[in-house]
Amino acid sequence: SVSFLMAGVTDRRLLCHKIPRTTINNMRITRIFEDIQGHESQSGLSQDTFVELLARHKALLLRSDEDQDPWSVDDFAQTIEGLQLARYEYVGGAAPRRLIPVKASVEVFTANEAPPDQLIPFHHELAQVADPPQYIFFFCDLPSDTGGETALIDSTLVYRFVADNYPEFMEKLKAHGARYKRTLPAEDDKESPIGRSFYNAYQVDNKIDLERKLDKIAGLEYEWQPEGSLTVITEPIPAVRMIEQQHDHAIYQWTFHNSVIAAFLGWQDSRNDRMNAVCFGNND
């Protein structure tokens, strides 16, 4: 089996692949978006090293020697805990996910419980909420026989492509942001890649607490459906973000930071129509 972790900051990604069970030493770092053939040496992964790597490179592949044992999920969780990053409250997610028990004091979920043939388009994780996570990690315990890779795309390039080819669309997206519409079931629907229940999505166990949480979000709208599902229309969410400074590195680039493509192409199931899943923040 092969193990890896992946982390990102906004449009920046870090991929660690086949890391030793004890410590991370003698790693080869490949800057994926810059030079897929080249690599440099690095040892250790302290918090300072972690954030510095993310600030310097848009994508990184970190590999240990081929004869090293891969991580277990507990090794992965303990390493994340060791970085001492602030905990992110996972609220507003769409994917049905299962919590994996680990010894460390961090939460590890399955990526998506939906069948593997379901479409999951490119997106920024939790870009449909006002405060998305700064870092994101992935771990693979057993890779698929074919395919299964985690694909990356540089969203500064996506921004430039859209701005050059669809300038009016981009100006409206900058000016108004986006609103996302999704109908959530009362129980996780594992046949849908957006089948997360409203209880799990908002980390509550009753409808009263759920409504209290939703009522605190200015501009958000919701409606209970007759069969018990909940339709939520988010407040206007910024869809294009300027990346300025990252740990003393001057970036100053616009990034296409949203879930517009994912919503329009992939938010389709028995409750949701992808054609009505997203609009500009002014409701156009």
Side-chain angles (χ1 to χ4, degrees), residues 237-251:
I237 304 292
V240 179
R241 298 173 185 257
M242 168 62 74
I243 307 300
E244 298 179 351
Q245 292 285 131
Q246 288 288 345
H247 307 285
D248 298 326
H249 290 265
I251 309 299

Side-chain angles (χ1 to χ4, degrees), residues 67-184:
D67 59 353
Q68 299 281 1
D69 289 334
W71 272 357
S72 68
V73 66
D74 275 313
D75 295 329
F76 166 75
Q78 289 170 8
T79 298
I80 303 308
E81 183 181 43
L83 292 175
Q84 298 182 331
L85 301 171
R87 180 183 179 274
Y88 180 83
E89 185 179 7
Y90 178 37
V91 173
R97 288 169 173 160
R98 175 172 50 86
L99 187 64
I100 299 175
V102 292
K103 297 175 183 177
S105 299
V106 297
E107 294 173 318
V108 178
F109 296 88
T110 54
N112 198 309
E113 292 289 292
D117 62 349
Q118 294 298 298
L119 178 66
I120 302 178
F122 278 116
H123 62 283
H124 278 268
E125 187 67 22
L126 287 168
Q128 70 272 16
V129 302
D131 184 26
Q134 187 175 13
Y135 303 101
I136 180 171
F137 299 83
F138 292 101
F139 173 82
C140 177
D141 188 39
L142 183 65
S144 58
D145 292 333
T146 60
E149 296 89 350
T150 298
L152 304 178
I153 190 168
D154 183 345
S155 46
T156 64
L157 298 180
V158 177
Y159 166 80
R160 290 196 286 273
F161 174 85
V162 177
D164 289 344
N165 292 275
Y166 306 97
E168 292 184 5
F169 171 81
M170 180 57 72
E171 287 306 312
K172 289 187 69 174
L173 205 57
K174 276 187 178 181
H176 304 295
R179 301 189 76 187
Y180 303 91
K181 179 181 179 180
R182 188 167 92 250
T183 297
L184 298 80

Side-chain angles (χ1 to χ4, degrees), residues 19-63:
I19 299 176
R21 186 176 296 276
T22 53
T23 59
I24 304 173
N25 292 313
N26 302 321
M27 295 183 297
R28 293 182 298 157
I29 301 177
T30 302
R31 290 167 287 186
I32 296 175
F33 289 137
E34 300 172 25
D35 181 7
I36 195 65
Q37 302 300 324
H39 65 268
E40 61 186 68
S41 297
Q42 179 72 46
S43 62
L45 192 63
S46 65
Q47 185 186 100
D48 288 342
T49 301
F50 173 76
V51 296
E52 172 68 14
L53 287 170
L54 288 179
R56 288 170 53 200
H57 305 295
K58 290 182 177 180
L60 299 168
L61 175 67
L62 282 75
R63 292 173 292 181

